[in-house]
Amino acid sequence: MMKWVSVFLILQMSSSVFATSIKKYFKAKEWQKIVDIYQSNKKASFTEKEFGMISEALRNREQFREDISLNIRFIRIYFNSEHSKLMKEIRSGASTDSEQFSDALKHSYWSIINDLAQIIKGIKKKSPEVEKDFKQFQMFSKIMEALEFNEGKTDKLVSNVQSHMIYLEEKIYRFSGSLVFNYISWQSEVNLQGTETAKLLVTNRGYCLGGDAGVENYRYHFFVDGCLLIGSGEINNKDAQPEYQQSNVPSYGLKAGPGASVIVSSSKSRIGLKIPFVYTIQNFEEPSPTSGNNYTVKQKSPLTMQVSLYSRFNLNAWFIQTEIGQYIGNDEIFWGLGFGKSY
């Protein structure tokens, strides 16, 4: 019997010592020391005031999950029957008389919902864990609504957390694709070779049918696009020597390459850059001998590379697209105007 009395007295003295320390450190705002005491004495019996001081210390040290556990324990010890009654009323849809519930319980709920908000807003990537936290947050927001406690602050908190959850959802990259039909104009260079070599510029016009595939989120779009190109061009060198002129020269090929864009509106309109490779085939008639010189016409290179600026203006799933670019290594330009549909 004396042994158990001794143990009880030791526990009481120990409890009295760390309770005094908690009050002292709380007054001095030495939050970490309070947290250290709590971590070493988690199973100790605390008074309502001590729970409150420890809770504030945990929040100041940003140990939000620890604070949630502490407040849940506090509710179970001191307000279990009130909590059960409130939850029953919420589930049944019955009206709640806020005056029937203790202020300390309301403040404890307020601490929990704030802790959950801080945890959720600190998460940068959507995960099953944040979904679980959000469900808990929604449950406690219903409790705050039923109690009509800190209504304005709660509404603002709920709005901020919901916005963050939408942001996490929108950050996720998802597959995107589209079909595009463009009217295009592009230039290419040919050499008129003989005794002397003359560079001739071919102006082509035609159509490009294709699309793109890639990934996008609320802000960025990374993709590869391509299209089959068909059209015709003309050369007009009649004011120079040697004279050469030809029109309606068929041209066909492929345009494809990577691109990236920034989404600039809620309709997902965007501007960006492409680095396409263009492969075209075009056959030119050989000119008749002039002044005793035999000339041949040769396409400089069937494969070229461009850098282009493009924009897309969305109208629901449909869009209008523009593109203008310049070939790398020479002065020829490319432009396109078309429409398409996203899927």
Side-chain angles (χ1 to χ4, degrees):
M1 183 65 179
M2 290 298 295
K3 178 182 177 182
W4 289 110
V5 171
S6 299
V7 170
F8 176 76
L9 289 173
I10 290 170
L11 287 173
Q12 285 294 100
M13 290 174 64
S14 175
S15 176
S16 176
V17 169
F18 71 69
T20 302
S21 298
I22 287 174
K23 291 177 184 177
K24 180 180 73 175
Y25 294 139
F26 185 83
K27 188 175 181 180
K29 296 185 178 181
E30 297 186 50
W31 310 120
Q32 187 58 53
K33 290 184 178 179
I34 297 174
V35 170
D36 292 341
I37 291 172
Y38 169 66
Q39 297 287 0
S40 302
N41 300 275
K42 280 189 175 183
K43 295 183 179 180
S45 297
F46 301 108
T47 65
E48 287 189 34
K49 287 186 178 180
E50 288 164 358
F51 268 112
M53 288 186 284
I54 295 169
S55 177
E56 186 165 345
L58 288 168
R59 288 196 303 276
N60 274 281
R61 297 306 297 164
E62 298 185 357
Q63 296 188 23
F64 302 116
R65 292 196 187 277
E66 285 278 9
D67 188 47
I68 291 170
S69 298
L70 179 76
N71 276 279
I72 289 173
R73 180 185 168 196
F74 171 69
I75 291 169
R76 285 174 178 169
I77 292 173
Y78 291 102
F79 301 102
N80 195 48
S81 59
E82 286 189 38
H83 175 73
S84 298
K85 178 185 176 183
L86 177 60
M87 295 307 296
K88 187 176 179 181
E89 289 179 358
I90 292 173
R91 291 190 192 101
S92 66
S95 61
T96 299
D97 183 1
S98 179
E99 298 298 324
Q100 293 181 359
F101 298 93
S102 305
D103 285 343
L105 176 62
K106 296 173 187 175
H107 282 287
S108 194
Y109 287 142
W110 177 244
S111 294
I112 291 171
I113 196 173
N114 271 279
D115 289 337
L116 287 167
Q118 292 298 326
I119 290 168
I120 292 168
K121 289 191 290 183
I123 293 173
K124 305 300 182 185
K125 185 177 180 181
K126 192 173 181 182
S127 65
E129 183 181 14
V130 74
E131 288 285 353
K132 183 178 177 182
D133 289 331
F134 184 58
K135 284 181 180 179
Q136 282 190 310
F137 179 85
Q138 288 176 310
M139 182 187 74
F140 280 98
S141 68
K142 289 179 181 178
I143 290 173
M144 299 302 295
E145 182 183 354
L147 291 173
E148 298 178 344
F149 184 72
N150 282 350
E151 291 180 272
K153 292 180 180 179
T154 300
D155 290 343
K156 185 176 180 180
L157 201 64
V158 169
S159 177
N160 288 340
V161 170
Q162 287 176 339
S163 296
H164 187 71
M165 290 299 294
I166 292 170
Y167 166 70
L168 294 182
E169 181 70 27
E170 290 180 338
K171 276 183 65 178
I172 298 172
Y173 280 96
R174 291 184 171 84
F175 173 80
S176 67
S178 68
L179 294 175
V180 184
F181 179 78
N182 279 322
Y183 175 74
I184 58 175
S185 175
W186 75 100
Q187 295 176 325
S188 59
E189 194 174 282
V190 298
N191 289 331
L192 187 61
Q193 295 179 332
T195 305
E196 297 179 355
T197 299
K199 292 182 180 180
L200 306 181
L201 193 64
V202 185
T203 300
N204 299 281
R205 289 181 176 83
Y207 303 96
C208 211
L209 177 63
D212 65 64
V215 293
E216 68 177 63
N217 63 9
Y218 79 107
R219 185 63 173 167
Y220 300 108
H221 180 207
F222 301 97
F223 60 93
V224 174
D225 77 343
C227 62
L228 295 173
L229 183 154
I230 184 168
S232 62
E234 63 178 36
I235 306 174
N236 188 334
N237 194 41
K238 63 182 181 180
D239 296 329
Q241 293 297 326
E243 183 179 320
Y244 183 82
Q245 184 175 1
Q246 190 176 356
S247 60
N248 298 320
V249 183
S251 179
Y252 58 92
L254 177 68
K255 174 178 174 288
S261 65
V262 177
I263 298 171
V264 295
S265 72
S266 58
S267 66
K268 296 210 166 192
S269 295
R270 61 202 65 192
I271 56 173
L273 289 173
K274 294 182 182 180
I275 307 178
F277 293 86
V278 181
Y279 182 83
T280 56
I281 296 174
Q282 200 162 20
N283 295 315
F284 300 91
E285 293 180 1
E286 300 293 339
S288 300
T290 303
S291 304
N293 293 320
N294 291 323
Y295 288 90
T296 59
V297 180
K298 290 186 178 180
Q299 188 174 4
K300 187 174 181 181
S301 174
L303 181 65
T304 55
M305 185 177 177
Q306 304 174 0
V307 174
S308 62
L309 176 69
Y310 94 102
S311 62
R312 178 181 293 185
F313 304 94
N314 281 28
L315 303 167
N316 297 319
W318 292 90
F319 58 82
I320 297 171
Q321 181 169 293
T322 66
E323 182 177 357
I324 185 166
Q326 182 171 332
Y327 293 87
I328 295 175
N330 55 52
D331 297 328
E332 284 79 55
I333 61 171
F334 169 96
W335 62 263
L337 174 65
F339 65 91
K341 185 176 182 181
S342 301
Y343 60 89

